[in-house]
Amino acid sequence: MTAALLEADSVGVHFGGVVAVADVSLTIAGNGITCIIGPNGAGKSTFFNMLTGTVRPSTGRVLVGGHDITGSRIETFAHRGIARKFQTPSVFERLTVRENLDIARHPAAATAAKTIDLILSLLGLDAVAGTPAGALAHGQKQWLEIGMALATEPKLMLLDEPTAGMGPEETEKTARLVTDLAGRMAIVVIEHDMAFIRALAARTLVMHHGKVVADGSFAEIEGDALVRDIYLGRR
Ligand code: ADP
Ligand code: MG
């Protein structure tokens, strides 16, 4: 039996007296999409932080490919094939799109130029490869940052609110992009946009006050009374 790509086993963390994440478990066995939704402050980004070496869990374990690397440094997670796109795009504005992808390459894997070309074409950014990233439209910046995660040739990519600030057309394009990429790797997506989550039609976890309160297909989650209460109560 091969080890799961990712196994988060009852992870939790508190900041002072605030419990940000409590007892969250998630196993990602192989390629495909998993979604995480939940109100602001639910602990979604903090959960990602513990899966990428940004925050050390107070409790629980994180195994990547069967190796317990709980609390290891960011580099250790990256070397084991985990890449992450942050909530706010942080591209190098003065460098071109291609230069941004070059910088993001895995230092050990020496991603070939043709891999960068493939990423540019997957993202639909071929035509702006030579354009400074600062001149891109907001949606293109988000895609470039997904590309920077792809340039590390990850086995698992974590996307934190990839459609933030996008209009409906860009959101649809992002859903198609994420669906395409999920044939090549595992992807976990944090998102608020229900149209986007519906388009992904994947397993969906609902977080609330640091805990997973529902876990099922998008259709199951959408029909769940508790989930409706959480959203209606907050919005
Ligand atoms: P989400 O991404 O679901 O909106 P977060 O994971 O960003 O939620 O935050 C969860 C909770 O943890 C919030 O109450 C937030 O204020 C708190 N939190 C997150 N990071 C820190 C930190 N570094 N220090 C203190 N509190 C934090
Ligand atoms: Mg967040």
Side-chain angles (χ1 to χ4, degrees), residues 29-171:
N31 294 359
I33 303 171
T34 306
C35 297
I36 302 179
I37 63 172
N40 265 330
K44 306 179 299 296
S45 295
T46 303
F47 180 53
F48 269 12
N49 287 342
M50 292 190 286
L51 305 182
T52 49
T54 312
V55 163
R56 176 185 285 270
S58 321
T59 58
R61 300 185 310 156
V62 180
L63 283 75
V64 177
H67 299 267
D68 185 343
I69 55 170
T70 315
S72 296
R73 296 182 311 149
I74 293 171
E75 293 77 9
T76 307
F77 283 84
H79 279 119
R80 296 239 175 242
I82 299 200
R84 189 248 189 96
K85 183 212 156 308
F86 282 91
Q87 211 167 324
T88 316
S90 54
V91 299
F92 298 98
E93 305 253 324
R94 282 197 241 173
L95 300 183
T96 67
V97 167
R98 184 182 289 279
E99 285 165 346
N100 269 277
L101 293 173
D102 269 334
I103 282 184
R105 292 187 310 180
H106 201 307
T111 310
K114 72 176 195 314
T115 308
I116 300 293
D117 287 339
L118 175 66
I119 292 171
L120 284 167
S121 114
L122 281 170
L123 299 172
L125 294 177
D126 329 54
V128 291
T131 302
L136 297 179
H138 176 77
Q140 291 177 314
K141 273 188 201 171
Q142 294 276 33
W143 297 325
L144 173 56
E145 190 155 312
I146 292 175
M148 291 170 77
L150 290 174
T152 68
E153 302 187 74
K155 297 189 180 104
L156 168 63
M157 186 163 62
L158 306 174
L159 303 177
D160 199 343
E161 300 195 19
T163 74
M166 286 185 180
E169 269 178 40
E170 288 176 330
T171 299

